[in-house]
Amino acid sequence: MSWTMPSPSFTFTRNMESRNQSTVTEFIFTGFPQLQDGSLLYFFPLLLIYAFIIIGNLLIFSAVRLNTHLHNPMYNFISIFSFLEIWYTTAIIPKMLSNLISEKKAICVTGCLLQMYFFHSLGNSEGILLTTMAIDRYVAICSPLRYHMIMTPRLCAQLSAGSCIFGFLILLPEIVIISTLPFCGPNQIHQIFCDLVPVLSLACTDTSMILIEDVIHAVTIIITGLIIALSYIRIVTVILRIPSSEGRQKAFSTCAGHLMVFLIFFGSVSLMYLRFSDTYPPVLDTAIALMFTVLAPFFNPIIYSLRNKDMKNAIKKLLCLQKVLAKSGKSGG
């Protein structure tokens, strides 16, 4: 994330210009290709990816909720993560699809603020939940005998609810402050969705205090990533000490999916928001944005379903149950 603070002369100039400019009512995205440049070619692949993300995460969420064998802390956290992924992508991708087939790639100011709030709040919730999942695996591998005493159903419910509540509350003050800022032009967002820094750069006032808050958010990302990384380093160390190869393989299989999701999620977020004063070319900026808004959610259902035998069996049972219900419905009609 770019932390360059606006200079006093720049702020004074923007304020002087704002007196002669009308209030902005909408923002224009410049990161999308135009219709004549073949934007429709991107529409259908993105639509298919979005459909896969929604269906895949719905299957995982439903399989865990309906299968009593998966009613344990690990799968409970996975199901909630899948539920959050559905709304995380829904906050961004439908508007992307709309812009790809529209001549005017625009969003109203209120819609932009809502998109920023829900996208980042859901992302915060996922990051906190990934930390919780790492701690859960740490306790399971490093203290297996005390695992069920520590990770009680009540604690799991509190951790899950706390992740979502805290994720939505942490960004609320910043969005409220941004909603009070004057936007008087220009109104072009050099990105494919409403993000904090591109929007703040369009404000006709000093935004240094909000950018300081963004620095705090960056520090939070780093600390969260370190907590998860240290947890998995400790987990790997303990697993390598297991004498039997079968025991090591079983322990690794329960953590491999979480580790891969962590690397994809925090890797893409770090590229996007921990760049500090570096600026990327527009094409690279768009590619990074697509990585953590589209590609990371695309791979998560694959990782959690294909690499997990219990999850695959639960999804198969769920699909078979749907077929049986469909047949019984037809026969009853």
Side-chain angles (χ1 to χ4, degrees):
M1 186 180 288
S2 176
W3 310 118
T4 304
M5 302 297 181
S7 64
S9 60
F10 174 79
T11 302
F12 176 76
T13 303
R14 291 293 291 273
N15 287 331
M16 289 297 291
E17 290 175 354
S18 67
R19 296 179 183 178
N20 299 320
Q21 291 176 322
S22 58
T23 303
V24 168
T25 58
E26 65 179 11
F27 296 119
I28 307 296
F29 296 107
T30 62
F32 290 97
Q34 297 299 318
L35 286 174
Q36 60 268 24
D37 296 329
S39 64
L40 287 175
L41 295 176
Y42 300 95
F43 176 83
F44 292 105
L46 183 59
L47 179 62
L48 290 174
I49 290 173
Y50 178 57
F52 176 83
I53 292 170
I54 298 300
I55 294 170
N57 283 298
L58 274 176
L59 282 174
I60 291 173
F61 179 79
S62 302
V64 172
R65 294 298 160 185
L66 297 176
N67 193 318
T68 54
H69 293 96
L70 301 183
H71 288 181
N72 59 54
M74 183 180 77
Y75 289 110
N76 174 65
F77 293 138
I78 289 175
S79 70
I80 293 171
F81 187 83
S82 295
F83 181 76
L84 291 173
E85 282 281 80
I86 293 171
W87 299 109
Y88 176 79
T89 52
T90 300
I92 295 290
I93 296 182
K95 188 59 182 176
M96 284 185 184
L97 292 168
S98 173
N99 284 327
L100 283 172
I101 58 174
S102 302
E103 286 285 352
K104 192 177 183 181
K105 325 292 186 183
I107 187 171
C108 66
V109 173
T110 302
C112 186
L113 292 171
L114 288 173
Q115 187 182 71
M116 279 195 300
Y117 174 67
F118 283 105
F119 177 70
H120 284 287
S121 295
L122 288 160
N124 288 337
S125 299
E126 288 187 356
I128 299 168
L129 192 61
L130 283 173
T131 307
T132 304
M133 292 162 75
I135 294 171
D136 170 70
R137 290 298 86 202
Y138 175 84
V139 176
I141 300 297
C142 301
S143 301
L145 298 178
R146 300 178 58 202
Y147 177 72
H148 292 291
M149 295 173 57
I150 297 171
M151 300 302 293
T152 61
R154 182 179 178 180
L155 179 61
C156 291
Q158 291 173 340
L159 290 171
S160 301
S163 298
C164 298
I165 293 170
F166 186 72
F168 274 82
L169 288 179
I170 191 172
L171 197 71
L172 188 58
E174 187 170 349
I175 295 297
V176 171
I177 294 172
I178 294 173
S179 68
T180 65
L181 297 177
F183 294 97
C184 49
N187 67 337
Q188 292 186 334
I189 297 177
H190 302 293
Q191 190 49 275
I192 56 175
F193 65 97
C194 286
D195 207 1
L196 294 170
V197 170
V199 172
L200 284 171
S201 66
L202 302 178
C204 303
T205 187
D206 185 6
T207 58
S208 56
M209 288 302 295
I210 298 178
L211 289 174
I212 290 172
E213 287 188 28
D214 289 340
V215 175
I216 296 172
H217 293 166
V219 173
T220 304
I221 293 172
I222 294 171
I223 292 173
T224 303
L226 285 174
I227 291 172
I228 297 175
L230 290 173
S231 298
Y232 281 116
I233 290 171
R234 174 61 179 159
I235 288 170
V236 171
T237 303
V238 172
I239 290 175
L240 291 175
R241 293 175 183 171
I242 296 175
S244 66
S245 58
E246 184 180 349
R248 287 195 300 270
Q249 186 177 359
K250 184 178 180 180
F252 268 123
S253 66
T254 63
C255 300
H258 297 302
L259 185 58
M260 290 176 68
V261 171
F262 159 69
L263 291 173
I264 293 172
F265 182 86
F266 276 92
S268 56
V269 167
S270 298
L271 282 173
M272 190 70 184
Y273 295 114
L274 300 182
R275 66 182 71 178
F276 299 100
S277 60
D278 293 337
T279 56
Y280 297 148
V283 174
L284 182 57
D285 222 14
T286 302
I288 294 172
L290 286 172
M291 184 187 300
F292 83 96
T293 58
V294 178
L295 292 182
F298 172 76
F299 285 114
N300 290 344
I302 298 173
I303 293 169
Y304 280 131
S305 59
L306 294 182
R307 292 189 58 85
N308 190 303
K309 184 178 179 181
D310 293 333
M311 186 67 75
K312 281 193 289 187
N313 291 335
I315 291 174
K316 287 178 182 178
K317 288 180 181 178
L318 179 64
L319 294 175
C320 291
L321 177 63
Q322 289 178 337
K323 289 179 181 179
V324 169
L325 291 174
K327 288 181 179 178
S328 61
K330 288 180 181 179
S331 61

